[in-house]
Amino acid sequence: MKKGLEKFVDLFNHILCFFGVIFYLTFVVCVLVQVISRNFLPSAPSWTEEAARYSFIYMVAFGCAVAVHRNEFVNVEFLHDALEPKFPMANRVIDLAIKVLLLLFTVYILAFSVRPFAFIKFQMLSTAMSLPMQYVYFSMVLMFAFMAVAYLCEILAIVLAWNGKEAH
């Protein structure tokens, strides 16, 4: 079971990183087009600023779940450092509790605010590209859905690690 979870997390991260890199490259190309056209052409295309912004938004949406798996979000370590010598099991319990709370918070945002907000905006169009804004706001749905899956995988990994250590 643990190997299957690790394979799933690796595949999930690879897919998210792939799309994150695609949107990062799109962002870089849009910014380069904007900079070059402002300096060397009589007028700059107006769509590049919006395309760069939307590419950046999607890049972040795909990258957040990867950051969950890599434990790259900012956290406070003083509680862990204080409890480690006396109560080594306390850190595992705290990690599990934090991840469960973050999962619940992520699912709450996804269910009660992001999804309705993202789908209400379907008739609005972006200024320069005339892109329906539902595609832009859908990035929030993706981000919180991916983060929910990532937190769920992290919780399962913690629980499986506990079961594995108790079996030895």
Side-chain angles (χ1 to χ4, degrees):
M1 176 91 167
K2 191 174 180 182
K3 287 284 188 194
L5 180 64
E6 289 175 5
K7 285 182 182 181
F8 174 77
V9 168
D10 286 343
L11 178 64
F12 187 60
N13 281 343
H14 280 44
I15 291 169
L16 293 175
C17 286
F18 173 78
F19 284 108
V21 167
I22 296 296
F23 284 107
Y24 174 71
L25 292 174
T26 305
F27 172 76
V28 169
V29 167
C30 290
V31 170
L32 284 175
V33 168
Q34 182 71 11
V35 168
I36 290 169
S37 62
R38 280 188 181 182
N39 290 320
F40 301 111
L41 298 176
S43 66
S46 61
W47 59 268
T48 55
E49 288 182 42
E50 273 189 9
R53 185 179 320 119
Y54 301 153
S55 298
F56 183 79
I57 290 169
Y58 268 92
M59 178 184 62
V60 170
F62 284 103
C64 281
V66 177
V68 169
H69 289 299
R70 294 183 181 172
N71 202 21
E72 293 183 352
F73 285 122
V74 175
N75 59 32
V76 179
E77 299 278 335
F78 76 90
L79 188 59
H80 284 274
D81 295 341
L83 292 175
E84 185 64 39
K86 296 179 183 176
F87 308 104
M89 188 68 172
N91 284 339
R92 293 184 198 143
V93 172
I94 291 170
D95 285 341
L96 181 64
I98 288 171
K99 295 220 169 41
V100 167
L101 286 173
L102 288 170
L103 173 65
L104 293 173
F105 180 72
T106 302
V107 169
Y108 177 81
I109 290 174
L110 181 64
F112 293 110
S113 57
V114 170
R115 190 178 53 82
F117 178 72
F119 293 115
I120 287 173
K121 305 292 183 184
F122 70 94
Q123 292 187 2
M124 293 174 56
L125 296 176
S126 66
T127 308
M129 296 173 56
S130 295
L131 180 73
M133 291 301 288
Q134 69 183 7
Y135 298 120
V136 177
Y137 289 114
F138 187 69
S139 65
M140 292 187 300
V141 174
L142 287 178
M143 180 179 71
F144 286 106
F146 292 151
M147 286 180 67
V149 171
Y151 281 122
L152 185 61
C153 289
E154 290 295 307
I155 291 167
L156 287 173
I158 290 171
V159 170
L160 289 173
W162 281 355
N163 289 340
K165 288 184 180 179
E166 291 172 0
H168 291 283

